[in-house]
């Protein structure tokens, strides 16, 4: 079966930020996968590297067998909530409609059908009554639901979500999980960065455990063991850290040439 | 039906009259079109009259040009403000100076097209330099912007003084670029301005969706395959257009004000980007027109400062009086809220007084109430008068006793209910100690909405007693009014 | 185009200024050096606090302070303009805070709104006063100052006695630099800590807000002192570029300060020669040289890093 997401020897290097080092991964479609690791392990960076938002220093990424650029319409993205300015003058509906932009040509207006899809997605996360609110007037959980609705509106096959459960209330967390499970039933693939080990086990079919390098990847029941967790959370490897820092300096120079 | 039709006809004829009148005014002026600077009448009123009757062709050009540039700048400014690029506007507007000087050198005359091209190129070069500095050094954005501003502007200044020292060149034309002189706008300038305004408007309308998503969430925009970098540079190009169009009338030093201030005022007034762009443009037009007026009426003062001051007045009004985000409106709202809390606290004290005597009487002595609230009798009388004005209590004629009106009784019950429900919620669900919940409930009681209270009641299984054993007034008590005491008073009356 | 750039000759550009009019040359270079040093030293702290463009803002917004001081007192005396500028500078900082704290306007827009409005106010007041004929403030002077005039002003005299044989403004600038150096040396660790880690500074009981306003007051003082020689717009260059230059060369603040002084001297001398060659304003030419020096170390640094990398790679391959 074709992999939804395939990473080969992926190395990511920021100027002074955590890096990822030689990640090999092949995620089959139809799975709900959690990405777990300590702070600064590069969980978000992994997602950003797939999306081309982080500088890839080596290796490659394939989405459904093609490069990300070619297949970007099949990928939906939920960024971290803090990554945007919530004072921005847009309404909830405007934000969800942005999910349709990938399917529209440059300078093309969203059609009535796009609006209808956006409404349905809002309804799915129970936010339809607030469609005309400015996004800053929402609670944290509601803001996260808006981002989820936007990703739904993308109608993708692979969803990448960056910490969707941070700072949301219990009701929202349950609602989001219900939507994610429904997506999985439809055969979509989900990669979710998650920070809470307590419920990682019950939420996900598979887990990716990373701490700058891939520690383990597999079915949750197999990899969620004390040994693997110890290997993931038991401190960074000093030598790897040093070498990775040195690597980080080199690509920064290479990027000048580009 | 016929009425509305008639009304429409009459408005239409009104418009026709206006247009006709305007045309009539145009006829004689074509012959006597004079440079504004040649006008000799110095009376402020005369000049104002002259301004509003649009007698001079050159004045019309100046006004039309100012309004076009105001609209252009306001529109682009909206994007600058939401992208937090206000200082980029400042930087680029200084960075175009060498371009202006070189454009001037092309023909050694004030050729609008050459200056336009030169300045646009310089602006783009400046934007590129900022990006390059950001990528290859560890300097922050502000330093990169400052460097571009400084380096480009100083080169421009040097070129500028070199041109002034050239034999045979008239420096008068170039001088105006510093502080702006709308009167210097000629027919060709206005044509160019119109072209720029149309181009900017078209680009913004066509690419509005893209600009909105790249401004709001650039990471997401990249992930759906939008050319974020190219869009950024196209926006910078439009920005350079707007800056260059404003140079002559506003002056290099103050262009950034015309970009940012109208848009910032719009930002305070609306929650929609589309509306913000329109409002920004409208404010820009208003500021530019009134700036042009003051500059003209005050005998050829530089235009730029007056445009900026008009824009600042609009911003100040928005900052103080905007319905939701205004400073004064918020202050007023908070004041009203504080007054409401004071009223509600007094109602609550009255309820407690009644509760203490087990709701035997309906009347509370004002003196006792004053002691309870630790206030003087005068203060209490004033507070009660306010409650009376709101129809919440009735004070007896001799002002010694006070009793609830039905509305007051209902509100008092609600407040006490909110307070006690919240205390109960904190002790039961959040495991607070019973003696630690009062202060929190004091502030929360005024904020709970009807829906939240319902939810609370449901979660607490419609409990009747608070953590201190006091009765929580139920819906039934509230509806029955002050005439009837709450049930179970024998237990609820205890302190 | 050919008339614009005069013919270059070593003789006229580099030797004549030092042979004829030595006094003038020396004082122009000294003025440039002192101005750039003063701005550069305080500029380090602006850069560290990411307030580079607040420097720009204050250097613009002292203008209404100057004009108002003149309109009220009727003199162009030093104390009046200093006071006016100081008030205007602090008003600017307070207004910026007010706007971004009490509305959702972001700080960058708040800075832009405040200083452009104040500058517009200054220019408007100036032109109204000028229309009434009470003053003649030259627009050119606001834009790029008059370094040459500063250099030929008579020496400071106290009751007929001349303490030092140097033009009054240069002496004042010298005093300013002296005060700045003393202030920085005295409060080095406080300024460093409040700039680098305000959170820690607050935890240690330092009044960061007071230090902020103090720094801004100092900035207003510097900007008004250099106003007559370089105008209202060029100080931003001298506030930002020397520290950026020094930051490319060293990682330690104290050493960066030394580099700033070196850079100021080089920029002043080179700028003077450039101005002589191109027959343009000395202040502008000095900033051009200062920027060019920065570009030199910036591109040079990139090239050196690239070369070193290539050597390492080659070494690794062998």
């Amino acid at each position: 079966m074709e992999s939804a997401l395939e990473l080969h020897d992926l190395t990511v290097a920021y100027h002074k930020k955590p890096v990822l080092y030689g990640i090999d991964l092949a995620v089959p479609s139809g799975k709900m996968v959690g990405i777990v690791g300590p702070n600064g392990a590069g969980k978000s960076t992994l997602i950003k590297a797939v999306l081309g938002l982080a500088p890839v220093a080596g290796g490659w990424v394939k989405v459904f067998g093609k490069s990300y650029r070619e297949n970007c319409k099949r990928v939906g993205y939920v960024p971290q909530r803090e990554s945007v300015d919530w004072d921005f003058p847009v309404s909830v509906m405007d934000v969800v409609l942005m999910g349709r932009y990938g399917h529209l040509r440059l300078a093309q207006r969203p059609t009535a059908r796009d609006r209808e899809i956006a409404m349905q997605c809002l309804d799915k996360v129970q936010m339809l009554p607030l469609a005309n609110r400015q996004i800053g007037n929402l609670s944290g959980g509601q803001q996260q639901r808006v981002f989820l609705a936007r990703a739904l509106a993308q109608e993708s096959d692979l969803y990448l979500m960056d910490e969707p459960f941070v700072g949301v209330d219990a009701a929202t967390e349950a609602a989001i999980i219900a939507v994610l499970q429904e997506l999985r039933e439809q055969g979509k693939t989900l990669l979710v960065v998650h920070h809470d080990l307590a419920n990682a086990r019950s939420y996900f079919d598979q887990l990716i455990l990373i701490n700058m390098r891939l520690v383990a990847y597999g079915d949750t029941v197999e990899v969620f063991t004390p040994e693997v967790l110890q290997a993931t959370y038991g401190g960074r490897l000093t030598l790897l850290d040093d070498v990775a820092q040195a690597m980080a300096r080199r690509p920064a120079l290479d990027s000048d040439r580009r | 039906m016929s009425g509305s039709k008639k009304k429409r006809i009459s408005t239409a004829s009104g418009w026709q009259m206006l247009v006709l009148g305007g045309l009539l005014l145009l006829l004689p002026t074509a012959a006597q079109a004079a440079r504004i600077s040649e006008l000799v009448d110095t009376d402020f009123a005369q000049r104002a009259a002259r301004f509003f009757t649009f007698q001079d062709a050159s004045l019309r050009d100046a006004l039309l040009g100012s309004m076009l540039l105001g609209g252009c700048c306001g529109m682009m400014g909206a994007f600058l403000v939401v992208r937090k690029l206000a200082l980029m506007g400042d930087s680029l507007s200084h960075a175009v100076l060498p371009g202006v000087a070189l454009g001037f050198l092309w023909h050694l005359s004030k050729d609008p097209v050459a200056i336009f091209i030169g300045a646009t190129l310089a602006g783009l070069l400046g934007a590129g330099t900022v990006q390059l500095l950001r990528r290859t050094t560890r300097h922050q954005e502000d330093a990169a912007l400052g460097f571009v501003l400084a380096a480009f502007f100083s080169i421009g200044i040097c070129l500028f003084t070199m041109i002034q020292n050239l034999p045979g060149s008239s420096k008068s034309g170039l001088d105006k670029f510093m502080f702006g002189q709308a009167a210097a706008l000629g027919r060709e300038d206005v044509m160019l301005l119109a072209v720029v305004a149309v181009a900017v408007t078209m680009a913004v309308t066509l690419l509005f969706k893209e600009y909105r998503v790249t401004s709001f969430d650039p990471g997401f925009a990249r992930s759906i395959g939008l050319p974020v970098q190219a869009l950024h540079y196209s926006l910078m190009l439009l920005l350079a257009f707007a800056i260059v169009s404003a140079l002559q009338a506003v002056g290099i030093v103050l262009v950034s004000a015309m970009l940012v201030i109208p848009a910032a005022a719009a930002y305070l007034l609306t929650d929609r980007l589309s509306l913000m762009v329109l409002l920004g443009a409208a404010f820009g037009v208003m500021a530019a027109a009134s700036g042009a007026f003051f500059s003209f009426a005050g005998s050829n003062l530089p235009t730029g400062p007056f445009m900026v001051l008009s824009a600042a007045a609009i911003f100040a009004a928005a900052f103080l009086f905007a319905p939701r985000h205004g400073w004064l409106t918020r202050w007023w709202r908070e004041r009203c809220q504080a007054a409401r809390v004071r009223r509600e606290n007094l109602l609550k004290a009255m309820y407690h007084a009644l509760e203490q005597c087990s709701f035997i009487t309906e009347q509370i002595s004002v003196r006792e109430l004053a002691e309870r609230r630790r206030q003087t009798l005068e203060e209490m009388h004033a507070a009660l008068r306010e409650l009376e004005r709101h129809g919440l209590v009735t004070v007896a004629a001799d002002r010694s006793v006070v009793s609830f009106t039905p509305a007051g009784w209902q509100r008092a019950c609600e407040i006490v209910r909110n307070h006690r429900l919240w205390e109960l919620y904190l002790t039961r669900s959040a495991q607070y100690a019973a003696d630690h919940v009062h202060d929190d409930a004091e502030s929360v009681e005024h904020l709970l909405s009807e829906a939240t209270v319902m939810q609370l009641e449901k979660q607490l299984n419609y409990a009747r007693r608070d953590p201190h054993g006091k009765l929580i007034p139920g819906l039934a008590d509230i509806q029955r009014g002050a005439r009837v005491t709450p049930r179970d008073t024998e237990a609820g009356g205890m302190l | 185009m050919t008339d614009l750039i005069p013919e270059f000759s070593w003789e006229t550009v580099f030797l004549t200024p030092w042979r004829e009019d030595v006094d003038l040359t020396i004082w122009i270079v000294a003025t440039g050096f002192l101005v750039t040093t003063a701005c550069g030293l305080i500029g380090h702290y602006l850069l560290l606090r990411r307030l580079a463009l607040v420097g720009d803002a204050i250097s613009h917004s002292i203008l209404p302070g100057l004009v108002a001081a003149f309109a009220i007192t009727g003199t162009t005396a030093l104390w009046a303009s200093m006071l006016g500028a100081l008030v205007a500078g602090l008003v600017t900082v307070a207004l910026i805070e007010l706007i971004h704290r009490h509305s959702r306007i972001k700080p960058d827009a708040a800075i832009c709104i405040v200083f452009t409005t104040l500058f517009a106010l200054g220019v408007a007041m100036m032109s109204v006063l000028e229309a009434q004929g009470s003053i003649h403030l030259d627009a050119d002077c606001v834009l790029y100052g008059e370094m040459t005039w500063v250099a030929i002003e008579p020496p400071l005299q106290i009751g007929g006695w001349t303490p030092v044989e140097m033009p009054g403004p240069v002496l004042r600038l010298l005093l300013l630099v002296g005060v700045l150096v003393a202030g920085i040396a005295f409060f080095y660790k406080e300024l460093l800590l409040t700039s680098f880690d305000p959170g820690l500074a607050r935890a240690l009981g330092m009044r960061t807000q007071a230090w902020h306003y103090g720094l801004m007051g100092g900035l207003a003082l510097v900007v008004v002192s250099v106003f007559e020689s370089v105008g209202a717009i060029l100080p931003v260059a001298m506030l930002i570029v020397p520290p950026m230059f020094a930051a490319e060369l060293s990682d330690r603040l104290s050493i960066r300060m030394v580099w700033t002084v070196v850079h100021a001297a080089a920029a002043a001398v080179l700028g003077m020669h450039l101005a002589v060659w191109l027959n343009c304003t000395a202040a502008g030419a000095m900033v051009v040289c200062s920027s060019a020096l920065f570009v030199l170390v910036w591109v040079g640094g990139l090239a050196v890093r690239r070369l070193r990398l290539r050597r390492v790679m080659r070494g690794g391959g062998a």
Side-chain angles (χ1 to χ4, degrees):
Chain A
M1 193 168 104
E2 183 192 43
S3 299
L5 177 68
E6 198 178 344
L7 309 181
H8 177 75
D9 196 20
L10 183 75
T11 298
V12 184
Y14 274 123
H15 209 27
K16 279 172 195 164
K17 290 201 180 140
V19 290
L20 288 173
Y21 197 79
I23 307 271
D24 277 306
L25 208 61
V27 180
S29 36
K31 297 280 184 199
M32 190 153 141
V33 186
I35 303 176
V36 177
N39 276 338
K43 298 182 298 254
S44 299
T45 309
L46 180 65
I47 281 194
K48 287 192 179 138
V50 173
L51 295 168
L53 303 179
V56 172
W60 44 256
V61 175
K62 282 208 167 133
V63 176
F64 298 109
K66 286 185 186 165
S67 80
Y68 178 75
R69 282 281 135 219
E70 288 168 284
N71 253 342
C72 66
K73 276 192 188 123
R74 295 181 68 183
V75 181
Y77 175 41
V78 179
Q80 277 183 22
R81 201 149 48 80
E82 304 90 81
S83 66
V84 301
D85 168 19
W86 290 94
D87 279 340
F88 200 90
V90 282
S91 69
V92 168
M93 188 64 187
D94 291 335
V95 175
V96 179
L97 266 179
M98 285 176 191
R100 301 301 303 161
Y101 287 6
H103 300 266
L104 298 170
R105 287 188 311 276
L106 212 64
Q108 189 192 359
R109 305 267 122 187
T111 60
R113 205 184 97 76
D114 291 320
R115 288 185 173 279
E116 201 177 304
I117 291 171
M119 302 269 256
Q120 282 165 6
C121 296
L122 268 178
D123 197 29
K124 227 176 247 175
V125 297
Q126 296 139 36
M127 286 287 290
L128 199 50
L130 301 179
N132 283 321
R133 278 266 188 103
Q134 195 262 330
I135 51 170
N137 300 328
L138 304 174
S139 72
Q142 290 169 333
Q143 290 176 345
Q144 198 64 62
R145 286 175 195 222
V146 174
F147 267 7
L148 183 63
R150 179 174 74 175
L152 291 179
Q154 289 184 267
E155 296 189 323
S156 315
D157 299 315
L158 170 66
Y159 284 94
L160 302 175
M161 308 192 176
D162 203 345
E163 303 264 21
F165 302 117
V166 160
V168 305
D169 51 294
T172 301
E173 184 155 345
I176 293 179
I177 276 294
V179 172
L180 298 193
Q181 271 157 359
E182 191 189 323
L183 285 174
R184 198 235 338 243
E185 312 286 271
Q186 294 166 9
K188 319 262 182 184
T189 315
L190 300 118
L191 255 76
V192 182
V193 171
H194 193 57
H195 66 286
D196 190 1
L197 280 181
N199 47 24
R201 197 182 184 141
S202 55
Y203 282 174
F204 303 111
D205 309 328
Q206 294 189 322
L207 284 182
I208 297 172
L209 290 113
I210 53 172
N211 188 356
M212 293 176 57
R213 76 246 182 249
L214 183 68
V215 178
Y217 166 58
D219 289 342
T220 306
V221 279
E222 283 165 27
V223 297
F224 203 81
T225 60
E227 296 81 49
V228 175
L229 289 177
Q230 171 62 31
T232 314
Y233 284 83
R236 293 158 78 113
L237 302 179
T238 317
L239 194 60
L240 184 61
D241 210 3
D242 290 347
V243 173
Q245 288 285 348
M247 293 280 291
R249 278 194 284 277
R250 206 188 71 194
L253 277 175
D254 286 343
S255 68
D256 303 344
R257 208 174 301 142
R258 259 184 271 143
Chain B
M1 181 69 197
S2 67
S4 74
K5 205 171 196 175
K6 199 181 275 176
K7 201 172 168 194
R8 202 176 309 146
I9 290 169
S10 73
T11 42
S13 62
W15 272 110
Q16 283 163 351
M17 290 288 280
L18 262 182
V19 172
L20 261 178
L23 284 177
L24 279 176
L25 278 174
L26 281 182
L27 280 176
T29 52
Q32 56 163 36
R35 297 298 302 171
I36 301 176
S37 45
E38 290 164 17
L39 299 175
V40 282
D41 46 356
T42 46
D43 184 1
F44 185 88
Q46 259 179 12
R47 295 181 76 93
R50 222 186 164 94
F51 184 87
F52 284 115
T53 47
F54 307 110
Q55 284 175 7
D56 313 284
S58 57
L59 179 56
R60 274 201 307 275
D61 284 348
L63 184 63
L64 190 64
S66 305
M67 285 164 72
L68 282 172
L69 78 89
C72 234
C73 285
M75 213 169 354
M76 289 316 297
F79 292 101
L80 280 195
V81 169
V82 296
R83 288 178 158 229
K84 303 180 198 73
L85 284 180
L87 294 169
M88 178 71 111
D90 185 39
S91 208
L92 287 195
S93 62
H94 285 77
V96 298
L97 184 62
V100 172
L102 289 176
F104 181 85
L105 279 172
W106 198 255
H107 288 312
L108 277 186
S109 73
K110 207 169 70 71
D111 175 10
V113 178
I115 288 180
F116 184 86
I117 293 171
T120 309
L121 287 179
L124 282 182
L125 196 62
T129 313
V130 171
Q131 291 262 345
L132 197 65
L133 268 172
R134 291 279 286 133
R135 208 176 306 157
T136 60
T137 67
R138 52 192 161 170
H139 294 298
Q140 301 296 325
E141 176 100 36
D142 64 328
L145 288 174
F147 173 75
V148 167
L149 188 161
F152 280 64
F153 189 73
S154 60
I155 294 173
I157 285 281
C158 286
L159 283 171
F160 207 74
T161 46
M162 283 154 74
I163 292 171
Q164 285 186 352
N165 293 334
L166 272 187
S169 81
S170 69
K171 65 168 202 169
S172 62
L174 213 46
D175 232 14
K176 300 281 184 267
F177 278 101
M178 283 303 173
F179 296 121
Q181 184 56 274
L185 289 177
R187 185 46 60 85
E188 311 95 80
D189 296 311
V190 175
M191 297 296 269
L192 186 66
L193 271 172
V195 172
V196 169
V198 168
V200 169
T201 316
M202 275 196 18
V204 167
T205 339
L206 282 177
L207 294 177
F208 183 74
K209 159 175 117 308
E210 283 77 14
Y211 286 142
R212 177 161 65 187
V213 67
T214 51
S215 308
F216 173 61
D217 192 347
F220 177 79
R222 282 245 327 249
S223 84
I224 59 173
L226 281 177
V228 173
Q229 197 71 358
L231 283 166
H232 176 76
Y233 276 108
S234 75
L235 202 64
M236 288 299 116
L237 182 70
L238 293 180
L239 178 64
F241 279 178
I243 289 172
V244 177
S245 74
L247 278 186
Q248 279 209 47
V250 187
I252 280 181
V253 189
L254 291 169
V255 171
S256 59
M258 287 306 286
L259 286 167
V260 172
I261 301 179
Y267 184 49
L268 291 175
L269 290 173
T270 172
D271 280 337
R272 289 302 161 75
L273 186 60
S274 46
L275 209 56
M276 186 177 157
V277 171
L278 287 178
L279 264 182
F283 288 157
V285 169
M286 275 158 62
S290 60
F293 165 70
F294 281 118
S295 145
F296 174 72
S299 60
N300 284 325
L301 296 171
T303 329
F306 288 93
M307 285 188 185
V308 175
L309 289 178
S310 315
I314 295 174
F315 175 79
F319 177 71
L320 294 176
F321 304 113
R324 284 218 354 249
H325 304 288
W327 193 31
L328 277 183
T329 40
R330 247 181 315 161
W331 173 79
W332 180 250
R333 256 203 316 269
E334 273 157 29
R335 226 184 85 126
C336 291
Q337 191 143 357
R340 186 173 64 91
V341 167
R342 264 200 314 278
R343 284 199 303 273
E344 290 178 352
N345 281 339
L346 187 53
L347 287 176
K348 198 173 58 173
M350 285 172 60
Y351 182 94
H352 286 156
L354 286 184
E355 192 179 47
Q356 204 168 9
C357 53
S358 309
F359 300 100
I360 295 166
T361 73
E362 279 171 21
Q363 297 191 322
I364 308 132
S365 110
V366 173
R367 186 175 298 278
E368 188 202 329
L369 207 55
E371 274 164 25
R372 212 173 242 286
R373 299 279 296 155
R374 296 199 186 84
Q375 283 176 320
T376 65
L377 218 50
E378 287 79 52
E379 282 170 348
M380 186 49 65
H381 279 306
L384 284 174
R385 259 197 298 281
E386 205 200 321
L387 283 192
E388 224 178 351
R389 240 200 340 270
H390 282 86
L392 297 169
V393 298
T394 20
V395 183
D398 62 351
R399 309 208 71 83
S400 66
V401 290
V402 59
S403 57
F404 281 119
T405 63
W409 169 250
Q410 187 182 338
R411 192 73 201 127
C413 283
E414 277 167 8
I415 291 297
V416 174
R417 183 170 68 134
N418 289 354
H419 183 101
R420 295 185 176 167
L421 277 175
W422 189 249
E423 283 189 343
L424 196 61
Y425 175 74
L426 283 186
T427 46
R428 276 208 199 157
S429 305
Q431 272 88 40
Y432 273 74
D435 55 344
H436 274 67
V437 291
H438 178 77
D439 291 339
D440 192 31
E442 275 293 285
S443 52
V444 170
E445 65 192 12
H446 306 287
L447 307 174
L448 291 180
S449 69
E450 199 57 38
T452 324
V453 173
M454 301 277 225
Q455 254 184 339
L456 268 180
E457 278 191 317
K458 201 167 152 198
Q459 263 193 24
L460 298 168
N461 291 327
Y462 302 95
R464 295 287 296 160
R465 301 266 164 202
D466 77 352
H468 312 290
K470 288 194 202 161
L471 189 77
I472 299 174
L475 270 181
D477 304 318
I478 294 174
Q479 280 156 7
R480 263 184 292 165
R483 302 282 153 210
V484 192
T485 56
R487 286 166 295 160
D488 310 317
T489 43
E490 65 278 6
M494 287 186 296
L495 246 182
Chain C
M1 204 69 182
T2 43
D3 326 341
L4 185 71
I5 301 175
E7 210 172 314
F8 180 82
S9 86
W10 284 96
E11 180 79 15
T12 48
V13 173
F14 283 97
L15 297 179
T16 319
W18 299 102
R19 271 195 209 134
E20 302 152 22
D21 297 331
V22 182
D23 275 356
L24 183 69
T25 310
I26 287 179
W27 295 132
I28 288 182
V29 170
T31 313
F33 168 68
L34 291 172
V35 165
T36 317
T37 309
C39 291
L41 288 180
I42 204 161
H44 278 293
Y45 293 103
L46 296 185
L47 223 59
L48 283 179
R49 289 164 177 246
R50 301 185 186 168
L51 291 177
L53 288 159
V54 174
D56 184 31
I58 290 188
S59 67
H60 281 81
S61 58
I62 59 162
L63 187 64
L66 292 180
V67 182
F70 172 77
I72 294 167
T73 62
T75 74
T76 48
L78 191 65
W79 63 269
S81 37
M82 283 277 181
L83 197 69
L86 201 61
V87 171
L90 293 181
V91 164
T92 311
V93 178
L95 274 180
I96 291 173
E97 292 238 344
L98 175 85
I99 288 183
H100 98 91
R101 190 164 298 169
H102 291 284
S103 74
R104 57 173 175 171
I105 302 280
K106 304 284 179 290
D108 65 321
I111 293 173
C112 199
I113 291 167
V114 171
F115 89 79
T116 51
T117 304
L118 284 175
F119 189 71
L121 191 67
V123 178
M125 279 158 66
M126 224 167 79
S127 42
V128 168
L129 284 180
E130 202 175 332
Q132 289 170 356
S134 58
I135 46 166
H136 180 72
L137 260 170
D138 205 351
D140 291 0
C141 173
V142 175
L143 287 171
Y144 43 84
E146 284 300 346
M147 205 173 262
T148 325
W149 287 4
V150 164
I152 54 172
E153 271 197 34
L156 190 74
Q157 286 192 329
I158 305 169
W161 171 66
T162 317
V164 210
E165 275 298 329
M166 59 166 67
V170 180
L171 183 62
R172 282 203 295 271
L173 283 171
L174 193 61
L175 281 177
L176 174 79
V177 170
V179 168
L180 267 183
V181 169
I184 288 175
F186 200 67
F187 295 119
Y188 186 77
K189 76 173 187 312
E190 284 83 359
L191 282 171
L192 187 62
L193 187 59
T194 50
S195 305
F196 172 66
D197 190 349
L200 177 65
R202 221 169 295 133
L204 291 176
M206 292 165 84
R207 300 178 47 191
T208 47
Q209 196 70 8
W211 282 104
H212 178 66
Y213 274 88
L215 191 67
M216 291 299 128
L219 179 62
L221 219 62
V222 169
V223 169
V224 70
S225 310
V226 304
F227 180 80
E228 58 180 337
S229 25
V230 293
I233 300 172
L234 291 177
V236 62
M238 291 158 168
L239 286 167
I240 296 174
V241 182
M244 284 175 79
F245 171 88
E248 290 292 310
L249 292 175
S250 170
D251 284 336
R252 294 201 27 216
L253 186 58
S254 47
I255 295 173
R256 282 187 191 179
M257 297 260 179
V258 177
W259 274 117
T260 316
V261 178
V262 174
H263 171 254
V269 174
L270 290 175
M272 186 272 298
H273 287 299
L274 186 67
V276 169
W277 173 31
L278 295 178
N279 190 16
C280 63
T281 164
M286 284 176 190
V287 175
V288 170
C289 288
S290 163
S291 313
L293 283 174
F294 168 72
V295 171
L296 207 66
V297 291
W298 169 33
V299 176
L302 286 180
V304 165
R305 268 192 287 171
R306 171 91 29 97
L307 271 179
R308 199 177 295 158
L309 181 76
R310 193 167 295 163
R311 201 172 306 143
V312 168
M313 302 268 262
R314 205 176 295 141

